[in-house]
Amino acid sequence: MNGFGVYNDTAVAIVALKGCGVRRIAYVDLDVHHGDGTQGFFWNDPEVLTVSVHESGRYLFPNSGFPDEIGGPDAPGSAVNLALPPEAGDDAYRRAMAEVVLPAVQAFGPDVLVSQCGVDHHHADPLSHMRTTMAVYPHLWEALSALADEACDGRWVVLAGGGYDPCNAPPRAWAMLMARMAGVDLPPSMPDSWVQIAADAGCRHPATGWTSEDRLPDLSATSGTTRAVDDAITATRAASALLG
Ligand SMILES: [Zn+2]
């Protein structure tokens, strides 16, 4: 793990699960950066599937995570990488879940799902170029939750991840995620306490809605994105024995 990761909490969690007797573990990493550290840690372990959805390493640190990275000689097929093009947007993430993450994990058949739920693909994040919006997060969390229920009887470990605009996606997206896990209904607007906390932290216009945006990303100039997303998904599916 490079970048801002000091301790590889995801690998620690997986090793801890193995120490508890869990045999097969599927790890899903939605952080905009490739999950290189965790993939590398379990590269040759056929009982840990790592699936990373990220901005392509052609454009973003750590410059890895291409479809041909499929696992070591003792564990071919245990790594799945979807390298999305910049400016891919919400639809690409919905497709990533439906066409790569869900079928790969279901085919693997894990006992536990571990997910790294970085939100640094949001369009306001300063470190990436993916242009997702708040509207995609309820869909992502619901899809992961349903996957945990269907693939491993609800056994699901959730970790946060990247997110570098504290006034936007991280607090709201992760609160929605925790509420989803706990089965708690959210109030219609953000609590007053959040508005004050955000204001004190220097957020000039704290969001008051769970999925509201100060501004929306402009995807009008990226007409090639859909084709590039098609190509990325096709390459990942072709490379993975789980998705063939
Ligand atoms: Zn990241």
Side-chain angles (χ1 to χ4, degrees):
M1 179 178 280
N2 294 301
F4 306 135
V6 178
Y7 304 106
N8 190 331
D9 55 341
T10 55
V12 169
I14 292 167
V15 170
L17 287 169
K18 287 179 149 239
C20 294
V22 176
R23 198 168 67 84
R24 290 173 72 79
I25 297 162
Y27 170 71
V28 173
D29 186 325
L30 299 181
D31 193 282
V32 79
H33 303 91
H34 175 226
D36 60 334
T38 307
Q39 173 181 288
F41 201 95
F42 299 104
W43 183 245
N44 226 9
D45 185 339
E47 295 193 325
V48 177
L49 170 69
T50 63
V51 182
S52 182
V53 179
H54 47 266
E55 181 171 342
S56 171
R58 289 177 62 193
Y59 308 97
L60 192 69
F61 178 91
N63 309 113
S64 56
F66 295 98
D68 62 351
E69 297 171 33
I70 59 168
D74 294 332
S78 67
V80 174
N81 283 288
L82 177 55
L84 291 170
E87 303 174 340
D90 290 353
D91 283 349
Y93 276 81
R94 291 190 181 95
R95 291 188 58 190
M97 296 302 292
E99 298 176 43
V100 173
V101 173
L102 271 57
V105 171
Q106 285 167 333
F108 179 73
D111 299 308
V112 174
L113 173 66
V114 177
S115 58
Q116 197 271 31
C117 296
V119 294
D120 45 3
H121 45 84
H122 184 262
H123 70 92
D125 197 281
L127 295 192
S128 65
H129 323 93
M130 297 307 279
R131 300 192 177 181
T132 58
T133 71
M134 292 304 302
V136 83
Y137 295 109
H139 174 84
L140 296 179
W141 308 153
E142 178 59 34
L144 284 174
S145 176
L147 178 61
D149 286 343
E150 291 166 13
C152 32
D153 295 329
R155 290 183 290 272
W156 183 24
V157 176
V158 170
L159 301 160
Y164 305 98
D165 181 352
C167 302
N168 262 295
R172 293 186 289 164
W174 289 332
M176 287 192 280
L177 174 57
M178 295 303 115
R180 180 68 190 81
M181 292 187 76
V184 173
D185 290 329
L186 292 167
S189 59
M190 302 282 285
D192 292 342
S193 56
W194 147 253
V195 175
Q196 189 58 54
I197 291 168
D200 291 346
C203 301
R204 295 175 62 190
H205 304 289
T208 55
W210 291 102
T211 58
S212 62
E213 305 276 359
D214 282 348
R215 60 183 173 82
L216 285 169
D218 178 11
L219 293 173
S220 62
T222 56
S223 57
T225 300
T226 302
R227 174 64 186 275
V229 171
D230 283 344
D231 291 347
I233 290 174
T234 298
T236 295
R237 291 186 60 90
S240 172
L242 293 172
L243 297 169

